[in-house]
Amino acid sequence: MIGEAAKLLARSRFAIAFTGAGISAESGVPTFRGFNGLWKMHRPEELATPEAFRKDPHLVWSFYKWRMDLIRKARPNRAHYALAELERMGILKAVITQNVDDLHREAGSRNVVELHGNIFRVRCTSCSYRENLKESGRLDEFLKERDLPKCPRCGSLLRPDVVWFGEPLPRKSLEEAFRLAERADLVLVIGTSGVVYPAAYVPQIVKETGGKVIEINPEESGITPIADVFIRGKAGEVMGELLELVRGLANE
Ligand code: NAD
Ligand code: ZN
């Protein structure tokens, strides 16, 4: 299975990766399902919505600050590094991610398309103000503040710059993702349940335009029925091995 995947990758002309929360699980960032019971009595699906934010911005902000703090301490794992290395080798052309954790870029991936935003960015609920707290160096101060965060430009409430359930995806990122999927002759699908649309169209577009679908997941997902190769396992372990095999083939 993994040998077949390595051959397909080594032979591909335009490979892309499509990742979900599972790729960051070994970095200590729980998938949404992994959150159950971890965070008070609320399900993340009930907190990551515009309705929840309108009803109780304090609750939603404390959830997001808790996640920001957890994610800032997380480091990329072998799967993130392997994707960055495949890009440097010229094999992988882009990573399309549903994650908000920034770990692909931390690992060195350059062409990253974020479909669901970024946990370190905030934006104003009224004007066009946006800030990346990691880049502006204000993250520590932001996490310590107990009052609700306000826009420095207009004074309105700030919100996390992530896509909540029921909200549209950022148009430019989605268009870029679909363009890449149409060009791709192979997609590596890693750690996603493949049930969140429109993101889950990405592997389907690759398949429909004649490309190969390689999936890595400890469990079957919504993508498994269209996978040409399904590798059951954890992202870090499988990607470490896959990278070695591809390197071997590239040197032949
Ligand atoms: P998801 O829909 O991407 O599902 C997680 C998948 O990862 C499952 O199929 C599971 O079998 C698989 N998985 C678990 N451990 C794995 C491992 N070690 N290696 C490979 N695969 C593994 O994600 P979700 O948790 O249902 O969340 C839905 C959305 O919530 C995401 O698309 C994202 O926008 C957001 N989210 C982001 C993060 C993050 O940025 N790290 C974390 C949680 C949720
Ligand atoms: Zn504002």
Side-chain angles (χ1 to χ4, degrees):
M1 272 296 146
I2 193 163
E4 175 66 13
K7 271 186 215 153
L8 289 172
L9 250 179
R11 257 192 247 138
S12 69
R13 282 174 299 99
F14 198 95
I16 60 172
F18 178 63
T19 67
I23 196 172
S24 299
E26 287 153 273
S27 293
V29 183
T31 61
F32 267 1
R33 267 175 282 160
F35 272 110
N36 283 350
L38 259 182
W39 205 79
K40 300 192 178 166
M41 301 308 287
H42 303 275
R43 293 173 358 116
E45 295 90 325
E46 289 163 6
L47 292 170
T49 67
E51 292 75 28
F53 191 64
R54 265 196 300 274
K55 206 173 117 204
D56 194 345
H58 275 285
L59 177 70
V60 173
W61 259 121
S62 53
F63 173 61
Y64 273 92
K65 284 189 173 184
W66 176 79
R67 284 197 72 200
M68 279 174 162
D69 193 42
L70 186 141
I71 289 173
R72 79 206 283 234
K73 293 172 187 148
R75 291 292 155 258
N77 65 54
R78 278 183 294 169
H80 299 102
Y81 287 119
L83 292 180
E85 179 58 21
L86 286 170
E87 185 178 351
R88 276 191 293 270
M89 290 167 74
I91 293 176
L92 197 71
K93 303 297 191 270
V95 177
I96 301 167
T97 188
Q98 301 164 83
N99 295 344
V100 297
D101 58 29
D102 233 9
L103 292 177
H104 286 299
R105 248 188 298 263
E106 283 223 354
S109 285
R110 283 157 171 268
N111 196 9
V112 181
V113 180
E114 291 174 329
L115 290 179
H116 291 163
N118 187 300
I119 188 104
F120 297 112
R121 273 195 326 250
V122 294
R123 69 174 151 95
C124 181
T125 52
S126 303
C127 74
S128 61
Y129 183 78
R130 261 194 172 81
E131 181 178 348
N132 183 318
L133 297 164
K134 218 155 91 173
E135 285 165 14
S136 68
R138 287 210 318 124
L139 189 56
D140 282 322
E141 174 194 334
F142 185 87
L143 290 176
K144 273 189 216 124
E145 179 60 56
R146 298 203 154 255
D147 293 336
L148 284 173
K150 295 287 164 56
C151 173
R153 201 183 287 163
C154 77
S156 301
L157 188 58
L158 291 177
R159 60 163 280 176
D161 195 10
V162 300
V163 177
W164 282 329
F165 291 101
E167 291 187 317
L169 272 58
R171 197 169 55 91
K172 272 194 185 157
S173 306
L174 190 63
E175 282 172 2
E176 174 69 6
F178 287 172
R179 238 192 334 267
L180 287 163
E182 280 163 15
R183 262 188 90 176
D185 61 350
L186 186 150
V187 61
L188 263 177
V189 180
I190 309 172
T192 176
S193 52
V195 293
V196 181
Y197 284 87
Y201 283 125
V202 168
Q204 291 185 15
I205 293 171
V206 177
K207 183 79 179 183
E208 279 162 19
T209 49
K212 298 286 184 195
V213 178
I214 298 173
E215 182 179 31
I216 299 165
N217 199 311
E219 290 171 39
E220 290 187 9
S221 77
I223 309 296
T224 315
I226 63 161
D228 296 281
V229 181
F230 175 69
I231 306 171
R232 192 182 290 275
K234 290 186 176 177
E237 292 169 13
V238 174
M239 282 308 296
E241 202 182 323
L242 187 60
L243 176 64
E244 287 317 309
L245 291 172
V246 173
R247 272 205 185 111
L249 290 169
N251 291 335
E252 263 173 19

